[in-house]
């Protein structure tokens, strides 16, 4: 079998550019269909390359999944940590800063959120372990944020903080799923929408308190 040069591309496309195309297509396929239902052949067909060439560039299906996962996992963690750092005077509350950071990090690759939260990964595989590592790191940050938020409300119940952490993950997933289905919505528009929703929720709850 002929071995391709390390910098070779296909049809005049440099290898680095072709790899970016493959990763973009693979991220969308894994995010939309899940690991189990995604095939290397389908990804290759989308990009217009052969399946053997894709294997030559990235290795196995699991290797390709990890090549999609690692950049977005690192990008999301960096974005969340930055958003949770000490805010400037007059900055939006932490939940809104985190959501804005998530939307910005996912812009152009919205399905990547579901690459990270893929329930179809093979158990005990390198892919499942790596994804779980990223999810734990995100959950750890969410736990810190939940505890800080409840502390400002003078609630120190650890179960409250744990429940809020899980609710926050579900909220983020639901918002990203809605966003995927509304491609015309920018990160800024999504952040503004969340601000309106939070404000509406606070108004509703305040009205309920006033009526008791």
């Amino acid at each position: 079998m002929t071995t391709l040069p390390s910098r070779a591309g296909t049809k005049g496309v440099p290898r680095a550019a072709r790899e970016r195309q493959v990763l973009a297509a693979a991220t969308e396929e894994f995010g939309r269909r899940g690991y189990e239902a995604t095939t290397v052949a389908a990804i290759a067909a989308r990009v217009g390359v052969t399946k053997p060439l894709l294997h030559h560039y990235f290795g196995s299906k699991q290797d390709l999944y990890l090549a999609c996962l690692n950049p977005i996992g690192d990008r999301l963690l960096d974005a969340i940590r930055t958003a949770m750092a000490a805010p400037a005077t007059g900055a939006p509350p932490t939940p809104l800063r985190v959501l804005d950071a998530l939307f910005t990090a996912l812009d152009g690759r919205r399905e990547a959120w579901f690459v990270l939260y893929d329930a179809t990964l093979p158990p005990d595989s390198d892919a499942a372990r790596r994804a779980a590592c990223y999810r734990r790191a995100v959950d750890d940050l969410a736990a810190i944020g939940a505890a800080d938020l409840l502390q400002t409300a003078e609630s120190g119940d650890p179960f409250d903080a744990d429940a809020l952490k899980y609710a926050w993950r579900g909220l983020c997933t639901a918002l990203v799923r809605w966003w995927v289905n509304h491609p015309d919505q920018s990160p800024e528009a999504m952040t503004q929408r969340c601000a309106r929703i939070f404000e509406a929720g606070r108004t509703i709850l305040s009205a309920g308190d006033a009526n008791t």
Side-chain angles (χ1 to χ4, degrees):
M1 182 176 69
T2 302
T3 301
L4 297 173
S6 61
R7 296 182 181 177
T10 57
K11 299 180 182 178
V13 179
R15 174 166 177 167
R18 186 64 86 190
E19 287 180 348
R20 288 194 294 270
Q21 292 174 349
V22 170
L23 289 175
T27 296
E28 185 172 342
E29 288 289 313
F30 284 129
R32 286 186 177 273
R33 302 179 184 278
Y35 183 91
E36 185 175 4
T38 297
T39 66
V40 172
I43 296 169
R46 280 192 56 173
V47 181
V49 299
T50 65
K51 183 178 173 181
L53 182 68
L54 195 149
H55 282 303
H56 174 77
Y57 281 2
F58 290 98
S60 68
K61 174 180 169 180
Q62 178 173 243
D63 293 331
L64 178 57
Y65 168 84
L66 289 170
C68 297
L69 172 70
N70 289 328
I72 194 60
D74 291 339
R75 186 181 181 90
L76 285 172
L77 285 175
D78 288 344
I80 295 170
R81 290 182 181 120
T82 299
M84 291 180 65
T89 304
T94 301
L96 277 179
R97 296 200 312 275
V98 170
L99 286 172
D100 182 65
L102 288 178
F103 296 140
T104 301
L106 291 170
D107 193 29
R109 54 178 72 81
R110 302 178 188 186
E111 290 84 2
W113 178 265
F114 303 102
V115 174
L116 177 58
Y117 290 95
D118 188 341
T120 72
L121 294 172
D124 298 323
S125 65
D126 288 343
R129 283 189 289 272
R130 186 60 177 163
C133 181
Y134 279 121
R135 291 196 296 266
R136 282 194 299 271
V138 172
D139 278 351
D140 288 345
L141 292 171
I144 294 171
D148 289 346
L149 188 64
L150 290 174
Q151 187 175 12
T152 63
E154 299 182 354
S155 173
D157 189 326
F159 282 172
D160 287 354
D162 192 54
L164 181 57
K165 177 187 73 174
Y166 281 92
W168 178 256
R169 182 201 298 170
L171 174 64
C172 291
T173 298
L175 287 169
V176 173
R177 192 177 300 281
W178 187 91
W179 193 30
V180 167
N181 292 327
H182 295 80
D184 59 316
Q185 298 296 298
S186 68
E188 295 80 8
M190 287 298 296
T191 302
Q192 292 167 6
R193 176 165 291 103
C194 290
R196 293 193 298 271
I197 292 171
F198 289 170
E199 182 60 29
R202 188 176 70 171
T203 299
I204 292 168
L205 292 174
S206 297
D209 290 341
N211 293 328
T212 56

